[in-house]
Amino acid sequence: MSRPQYVNDHDGGMATSLDAEFQAMRPRLLGVAYGLLGSLDEAEDVVQDAWLRLRSAEAADGGDEIRDVTGWLVVTVSRLALDVLRSARHRREEYVGPWLPEPILTGPVLTQPVLTGAAPDPAERVALDESMSMAMLVVLESLSPAERTAFVLHDVFGLTFAEVGEAVGRSPAACRQLAARARAHVASRAPRFDVDPSEHRRVVHAFARACLGDDMDALLALLDPDVVLRGDGGGRVRAGRRPILGVAKVARLLFGIRRFGPYEMVPAVVNGWPGLLRYRDGRLVAVIGLTIADGRITAVDMVMNPEKLARVTRADETRNRR
């Protein structure tokens, strides 16, 4: 990575330069932290902590010791995120039902809403790689914290193994092995990313029309025979405690949702890919990510935990007040 060099000019310019560099880097830093944690709230805390540490180091050293500000920030954010990830493992093992990442809206409404309403603007600008789909983040949860860090930093964000080693606290050779193990695991379980965006969009809209129109035949034609549905209610709202497997069971569950009353679906870009927002009585109740291969839906990820929907809900309320 090509990085600017900073040296203290002793006239107050260093603070301005640091702030400008940090603000320019912030979306990428958030992307790195989110890729490691799957939580934008935790990612923001990590990035803010890194900024405070940078300012503290600059004040203590006069800026002379940190010549590579960008590199320092990336490594520090990665280290802090790794610490948070290690401490979060136990909490996620005790989580009620399937754990899904906090969804990020990375784009506006794709077309007019399927029924009514409009999608909120992205709540936060994050440099999110397209591979960080909800389905991919679910796969990354099965890696060890060190494997996940090596894979995300090297394979997704392009850091060298020497830089990865600084973050993980291991040698470049050890990090290369970590990334290789993670890569093999991901290759066997991760969704494909060669889907044409227009085809993905077409399947998403067809899925919404089938669900809303009580068209079971159309829905069955869209679902892969081995489709999996994961619903994250976090113990806060009604959701399955285990993933639902198979086309028949998933289709029945999707149609059973109508028992709780009519709802609306709004197309949006979720974690870089076309997805849907589900509303009931004007209230956001789910963000849906769909994984598609060969024209069929292989995974349906539904985030319903109100805590994980809070950011999108706030953005929606702000938009409606304009």
Side-chain angles (χ1 to χ4, degrees), residues 32 36 74 78 148-159 164 167:
V32 169
L36 296 178
V74 170
S78 301
R148 179 171 183 166
T149 303
F151 177 82
V152 170
L153 294 184
H154 180 267
D155 287 39
V156 178
F157 288 95
L159 273 67
V164 175

Side-chain angles (χ1 to χ4, degrees), residues 26-41:
R26 192 169 184 273
R28 178 176 173 82
L29 297 173
L30 282 172
V32 169
Y34 176 79
L36 296 178
L37 298 169
S39 166
L40 192 52
D41 281 341

Side-chain angles (χ1 to χ4, degrees), residues 18-19 21-23 25-26 28-30 32-33 42-59 66 68-84:
L18 280 172
D19 184 70
E21 176 66 5
F22 173 76
Q23 293 303 326
M25 279 290 297
R26 192 169 184 273
R28 178 176 173 82
L29 297 173
L30 282 172
V32 169
E42 291 178 339
E44 287 182 329
D45 289 343
V46 162
V47 171
Q48 183 63 21
D49 191 359
W51 166 240
L52 294 175
R53 293 184 183 213
L54 176 63
R55 291 302 305 268
S56 177
E58 184 268 334
I66 303 177
D68 183 357
V69 173
T70 301
W72 190 95
L73 282 169
V74 170
V75 169
T76 301
V77 163
S78 301
R79 284 175 176 168
L80 294 171
L82 179 56
D83 289 341
V84 174

Side-chain angles (χ1 to χ4, degrees), residues 1 101 139 144 206 220 223 233 246:
M1 291 184 295
V139 173
S144 72
L220 291 173
L223 297 176

Side-chain angles (χ1 to χ4, degrees), residues 181-247:
R181 288 201 300 267
R183 198 176 300 121
H185 182 82
V186 167
S188 66
R189 297 186 56 190
R192 290 166 45 185
F193 294 104
D194 56 357
V195 181
D196 178 75
S198 62
E199 171 67 4
H200 194 120
R201 195 157 41 242
R202 181 194 69 77
V203 174
V204 168
H205 283 266
F207 172 84
R209 287 193 297 270
C211 290
L212 293 167
D214 275 334
D215 192 337
M216 177 64 83
D217 289 339
L219 181 60
L220 291 173
L222 289 169
L223 297 176
D224 185 85
D226 298 320
V227 63
V228 57
L229 184 148
R230 292 175 286 257
D232 180 346
R236 303 283 303 279
V237 298
R238 185 186 180 102
R241 293 296 183 96
R242 293 181 177 85
I244 307 299
L245 304 175
V247 61

Side-chain angles (χ1 to χ4, degrees), residues 5-18:
Q5 302 294 306
Y6 287 85
V7 179
N8 187 13
D9 58 15
H10 300 291
D11 64 1
M14 184 62 185
T16 301
S17 297
L18 280 172

